[in-house]
Amino acid sequence: MPIYEYECLSCACRFQSLVMREREEKKLLCPKCGKDKKRRLISRVAYHVSEQDRLSGFNPSAAKEDAFFKDSRNIGLAAKKRAQQMGVDLGSGFEEKLEKLRTDPGSVIRDSD
C-alpha cells in the first residue's frame, strides 16, 4: 500500500497518509496546523523473510544485536539450527510449543505449575 510519511515544514509535525493518486498528495494538509507545506520523508522498508531463509542464514556463533533478542521469532532458532545440522527432526510437538512461546512467552511460567 502506498502509505507515505511526511513532515510539515511549518510546524515540524510528522504524519502518514495513504496516497493513491498524485493529485491527492497535493491536497494533503498537516493534521496539526492545517498548512500544505510538507515534504515526503524516506521511511523504513519491511520485507518478509521465510522461516527457512531465516534458519539458513542464522549463525549461532555470530554476535547478536539487542534487536535480535527483542524479536520473538528468534525464540528457538538456535535449537532448530542445531537440530538441522545434526539431522534430527524435532517433530510437530516442538513446533507447536515453539509457536506458543513466540506468541505468548508468559505461558511457559503459567503452564509449568
Side-chain angles (χ1 to χ4, degrees), residues 12 36 55:
D36 66 349
L55 190 58

Side-chain angles (χ1 to χ4, degrees), residues 9-88:
L9 298 175
S10 298
C11 69
C13 172
R14 289 185 173 205
F15 61 98
Q16 297 176 351
S17 184
L18 172 66
V19 178
M20 301 299 281
R21 295 178 186 86
E22 189 176 338
R23 65 178 179 258
E24 292 174 1
E25 184 176 35
K26 292 177 182 177
K27 296 177 184 178
L28 278 178
L29 300 176
C30 172
K32 186 174 179 183
C33 71
K35 297 193 177 171
D36 66 349
K37 295 180 182 178
K38 64 198 166 297
R39 68 180 174 123
R40 190 185 299 176
L41 301 173
I42 297 174
S43 303
R44 290 185 177 185
V45 176
Y47 56 94
H48 176 75
V49 178
S50 72
E51 177 82 7
Q52 187 58 43
D53 288 343
R54 292 177 69 250
L55 190 58
S56 296
F58 178 65
N59 180 357
S61 58
K64 312 287 185 288
E65 295 181 11
D66 287 344
F68 176 84
F69 298 104
K70 292 178 182 177
D71 187 345
S72 66
R73 295 174 303 162
N74 294 326
I75 295 173
L77 201 58
K80 287 178 81 171
K81 182 71 171 193
R82 185 71 178 136
Q84 183 184 55
Q85 290 169 339
M86 295 174 64
V88 175

